[in-house]
Amino acid sequence: MSLIVELMHDAVVTADPDEMVDVVVRRMCEVGVGAVVVIEDGKLRSVFSERDVLTRVVGEGRDPAKTRVGEVSTEQVVSVTRDTHIRKCAEALKARRVRHLPVTDDEGKVVGMVSARDFFERVSGELESWIDRAKYDEELRQAEDPYDHLGGSYGR
């Protein structure tokens, strides 16, 4: 069984709800993330993402230097725990139309983050392996030497 702990990043970028958007966006750019978790009293309050910048800051004509992250972050957060099955996480991403899932412990403390990109990379890697294995199996069924392309005379 594949659990989200296998896929999550445990280096989570955080923000305080009172920080200004421009400061947090610069941090996101420096670190190379598309979202940060907004923490209040040690617990997950909301998620602030690139989409929030576009729709709630730029799209509404707000000044990023005068807008607090807590005013424009997404408060209805979908989160998961370390032992959530990867399939359930993928379903949550799709159903809720979000790109980031914070991973929390039993007390609500954020311990990781998973993005839709993480899922895509995992799935594409597994798909590539599956295709390679299927090609190999087909070559064996056709009684061809799957290593023939390497050259040499193995056992001849």
Side-chain angles (χ1 to χ4, degrees), residues 135-137 139-140 143-150:
K135 283 181 180 179
Y136 174 80
D137 290 346
E139 288 172 350
L140 286 177
E144 294 176 12
D145 183 354
Y147 298 103
D148 193 44
H149 68 282
L150 298 176

Side-chain angles (χ1 to χ4, degrees), residues 14-84:
T14 64
D16 184 274
D18 291 326
E19 285 186 86
M20 295 301 158
V21 166
D22 63 335
V23 172
V24 176
V25 168
R26 277 195 295 279
R27 184 179 316 131
M28 291 166 67
C29 291
E30 289 169 4
V31 179
V33 296
V36 298
V37 291
V38 181
I39 304 294
E40 189 170 52
D41 298 326
K43 296 195 178 178
L44 175 63
R45 174 190 169 181
S46 56
V47 172
F48 180 68
S49 70
E50 297 162 324
R51 186 181 294 169
D52 294 324
V53 174
L54 290 174
T55 59
R56 297 183 180 149
V57 180
V58 176
E60 294 179 5
R62 295 179 184 233
D63 182 350
K66 295 180 181 174
T67 305
R68 297 183 194 290
V69 167
E71 298 170 14
V72 292
S73 57
T74 301
E75 292 186 355
Q76 292 185 349
V77 178
V78 180
S79 65
V80 296
T81 61
R82 287 182 179 121
D83 61 348
T84 303

Side-chain angles (χ1 to χ4, degrees), residues 82-108:
R82 287 182 179 121
D83 61 348
T84 303
H85 191 279
I86 287 177
R87 178 176 296 237
K88 287 208 177 280
C89 294
E91 290 167 358
L93 286 169
K94 182 179 176 186
R96 295 296 299 269
R97 300 187 67 208
V98 295
R99 296 183 192 138
H100 301 89
L101 287 176
V103 181
T104 59
D105 64 14
D106 295 335
E107 287 82 42

